[in-house]
């Protein structure tokens, strides 16, 4: 069984061109024209490969290689192709195109799966447009109800229904949830988005758990006013209150003493945004994660307590809105064993590791035995134009994925 590395490399290159940012950056926001052209490209590749392609109401796509016994739960693999603004070309796409190449290499080798093998392309793994990550996998796993999904709006105030239907995805969101037991197992191939594999010169990572992500929208309302005329004792500066909150996010994350606790404020919108006007309103978006859910929640509590103190002391109001607070994912021993068997058969060194980024596998693990396979990325860079994974590393990941899929589909 061989991987066509040149083909895989050229497909990743072609896919990266469907972007709203000039190369080497990639911007591919869900349901934009760039996303729709990229989807069409992937669908064509799957169709020409003889896979049966279907899409659900939110745009998750499923390309199936029918197994000998189609009544059996299938084996799934896949990832996402949406990309946050000015990011890279490998996040997610390696799992979609690498998954397709793994399937093609098995077909070329004459392997016949007993269970069907299905390549998934999840909609909107990134939170960019609708504020919540893994929208597609949340819906298909039942983590997010159709009714809750309908309340989502993008920054222009357009609802998910409006946007998805304008992009050609009709049908009922209620039908997106997969039936119980639909998959026998699921594997996601992905770049590490961290530096460990490269630093330790280990070509593959088998993920044992995915950290628990949480995100909140924090709105701080103070009093505006003239930047010259309002004296300091009379001010209720919303941005300075926000600054105290943001610094507490860092302090709380560092306070646990655990390297797995992380937190940041990735969005800060200041109103009215004039140099000579005291900020009257600030919107912050908080992202906090930990492999240990209780530890993550403990830092959220301390940040929240700090907000109450800042509100009292500065005479501002601070409102929290939960966007998501998910449990971590623990990988399936069965799927991890299929991956370690494949590494041993192909004599590829690997290490067991944690994923600090979340992935669609976080939600696939709620409905099927799941694990992830990481390939190194240069300097651990991701979510930035310098993101890079070497063709031979990607090909090696696809080869191990193919063997693991074959084991699970037999
Ligand atoms: O934010 C994440 O962890 C993922 O890359 N969307
Ligand atoms: Mn990402
Ligand atoms: Mn990703």
């Amino acid at each position: 069984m061989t991987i066509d590395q040149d083909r895989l490399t050229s497909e990743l290159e072609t896919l990266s061109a469907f972007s709203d940012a000039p190369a080497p950056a990639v911007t591919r926001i869900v349901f934009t024209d760039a996303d729709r052209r990229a989807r069409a490209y992937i669908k064509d590749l799957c169709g020409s490969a003889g896979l049966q392609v279907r899409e659900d109401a939110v745009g998750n796509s499923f390309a199936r290689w029918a197994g000998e016994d189609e009544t059996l739960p299938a084996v799934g693999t896949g990832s996402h192709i949406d990309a946050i603004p000015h990011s890279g070309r490998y996040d997610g796409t390696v799992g979609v195109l690498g998954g397709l190449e793994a399937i093609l290499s098995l077909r070329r080798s004459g392997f016949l799966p007993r269970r069907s093998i299905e390549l998934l392309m999840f909609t909107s793994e990134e939170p960019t447009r609708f504020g919540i990550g893994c929208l597609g996998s949340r819906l298909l796993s039942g983590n997010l109800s159709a009714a809750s999904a309908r309340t989502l709006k993008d920054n222009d105030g357009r609802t998910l229904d409006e946007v998805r239907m304008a992009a050609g995805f009709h049908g009922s969101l209620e039908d997106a949830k997969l039936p119980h037991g639909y998959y026998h197992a699921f594997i996601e191939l992905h770049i590490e988005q961290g530096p460990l594999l490269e630093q330790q010169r280990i070509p593959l990572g088998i993920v044992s758990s995915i950290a628990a992500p949480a995100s909140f929208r924090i709105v701080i309302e103070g009093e505006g006013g003239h930047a010259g005329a309002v004296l300091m004792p009379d001010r209720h500066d919303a941005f300075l209150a926000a600054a105290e909150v943001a610094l507490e996010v860092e302090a709380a994350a560092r306070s646990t003493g655990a390297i797995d606790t992380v937190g940041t404020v990735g969005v800060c919108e200041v109103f009215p945004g004039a140099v000579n006007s005291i900020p009257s309103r600030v919107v912050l978006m908080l992202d906090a994660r930990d492999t240990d859910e209780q530890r993550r929640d403990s830092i959220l509590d301390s940040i929240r307590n700090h907000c109450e103190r800042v509100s009292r002391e500065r005479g501002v109001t601070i409102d929290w809105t939960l966007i998501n607070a998910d449990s971590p994912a623990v990988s399936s021993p069965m799927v991890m064993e299929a991956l370690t068997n494949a590494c041993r058969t192909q004599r590829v060194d690997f290490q067991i590791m944690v994923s600090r980024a979340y992935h669609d596998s976080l939600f696939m693990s709620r409905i099927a035995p799941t694990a992830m396979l990481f390939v190194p990325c240069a300097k651990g860079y991701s979510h930035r134009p310098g993101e890079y994974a070497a063709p031979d590393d990607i090909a090696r990941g696809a080869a191990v994925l193919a063997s693991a899929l074959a084991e699970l589909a037999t």
Side-chain angles (χ1 to χ4, degrees), residues 239-315:
F239 175 73
L240 294 177
E244 282 207 56
V245 171
L247 286 172
E248 173 59 20
V249 170
E250 180 187 42
R254 288 180 185 277
S255 71
T256 69
I259 194 69
D260 290 333
T261 319
V262 294
T264 193
V265 171
V267 173
C268 177
E269 293 162 0
V270 182
F271 300 88
V275 66
N276 56 351
S277 174
I278 300 167
S280 55
R281 184 171 185 272
V282 171
V283 178
L284 301 178
M285 300 288 279
L286 158 64
D287 182 310
R289 311 185 192 196
D290 198 320
T291 51
D292 178 309
E293 189 171 1
Q294 279 64 43
R295 205 165 47 207
R296 181 206 61 200
D297 290 347
S298 71
I299 71 161
L300 293 174
D301 291 343
S302 61
I303 297 166
R304 208 179 197 127
N305 294 338
H306 190 78
C307 283
E308 282 162 17
R309 187 181 68 70
V310 170
S311 170
R312 281 194 309 276
E313 289 178 0
R314 289 181 170 272

Side-chain angles (χ1 to χ4, degrees), residues 42-120:
I42 301 289
K43 269 178 71 177
D44 283 351
L45 290 177
C46 293
S48 342
L51 303 180
Q52 301 154 10
V53 184
R54 74 175 181 86
E55 290 166 320
D56 70 13
V58 79
N60 291 314
S61 90
F62 308 78
R64 175 172 279 231
W65 176 14
E68 288 169 323
D69 184 348
E70 288 216 65
T71 63
L72 292 172
V75 174
T77 188
S79 191
H80 63 99
I81 62 167
D82 61 317
I84 69 171
H86 300 288
S87 58
R89 59 175 64 177
Y90 299 95
D91 174 5
T93 57
V94 160
V96 175
L97 290 171
L100 176 58
E101 179 54 28
I103 290 171
L104 293 175
S105 71
L106 287 172
R107 286 171 77 120
R108 289 194 296 263
S109 73
F111 172 76
L112 284 175
R114 186 165 69 93
R115 297 173 179 279
S116 299
I117 297 179
E118 204 159 65
L119 177 70
L120 285 91

Side-chain angles (χ1 to χ4, degrees), residues 7-215:
R7 169 197 157 118
L8 183 46
T9 306
S10 121
E11 286 172 354
L12 283 163
E13 176 78 22
T14 304
L15 182 56
S16 68
F18 299 114
S19 164
D20 289 318
V26 176
T27 296
R28 190 160 51 237
I29 308 302
V30 67
F31 298 137
T32 57
D33 187 47
D35 178 47
R36 290 168 61 182
R37 286 183 288 120
R39 287 165 177 272
Y41 172 63
I42 301 289
K43 269 178 71 177
D44 283 351
L45 290 177
C46 293
S48 342
L51 303 180
Q52 301 154 10
V53 184
R54 74 175 181 86
E55 290 166 320
D56 70 13
V58 79
N60 291 314
S61 90
F62 308 78
R64 175 172 279 231
W65 176 14
E68 288 169 323
D69 184 348
E70 288 216 65
T71 63
L72 292 172
V75 174
T77 188
S79 191
H80 63 99
I81 62 167
D82 61 317
I84 69 171
H86 300 288
S87 58
R89 59 175 64 177
Y90 299 95
D91 174 5
T93 57
V94 160
V96 175
L97 290 171
L100 176 58
E101 179 54 28
I103 290 171
L104 293 175
S105 71
L106 287 172
R107 286 171 77 120
R108 289 194 296 263
S109 73
F111 172 76
L112 284 175
R114 186 165 69 93
R115 297 173 179 279
S116 299
I117 297 179
E118 204 159 65
L119 177 70
L120 285 91
M121 184 167 66
F122 298 98
T123 271
S124 198
E125 189 271 352
E126 300 293 1
T128 315
R129 183 155 193 178
F130 292 102
I132 189 168
C134 298
L135 174 58
S137 50
R138 287 177 188 271
L139 272 165
L140 70 74
S141 66
N143 169 273
L144 181 72
S145 70
S148 306
R150 274 201 194 86
T151 65
L152 297 173
K153 289 187 177 170
D154 68 9
N155 295 331
D156 299 326
R158 298 182 66 199
T159 66
L160 173 61
D161 272 348
E162 270 177 79
V163 176
R164 70 179 177 97
M165 290 183 186
F169 298 105
H170 299 280
S172 158
L173 289 179
E174 276 73 10
D175 297 340
K177 186 171 182 291
L178 292 175
H180 179 71
Y182 183 89
Y183 285 115
H184 169 64
F186 178 79
I187 305 179
E188 181 170 5
L189 177 66
H190 204 284
I191 56 171
E192 179 198 343
Q193 297 181 300
L196 298 182
L197 291 176
E198 183 185 56
Q199 282 170 355
Q200 291 161 15
R201 298 183 191 283
I202 295 177
L204 285 176
I206 295 176
V207 173
S208 53
S209 66
I210 301 174
S215 64

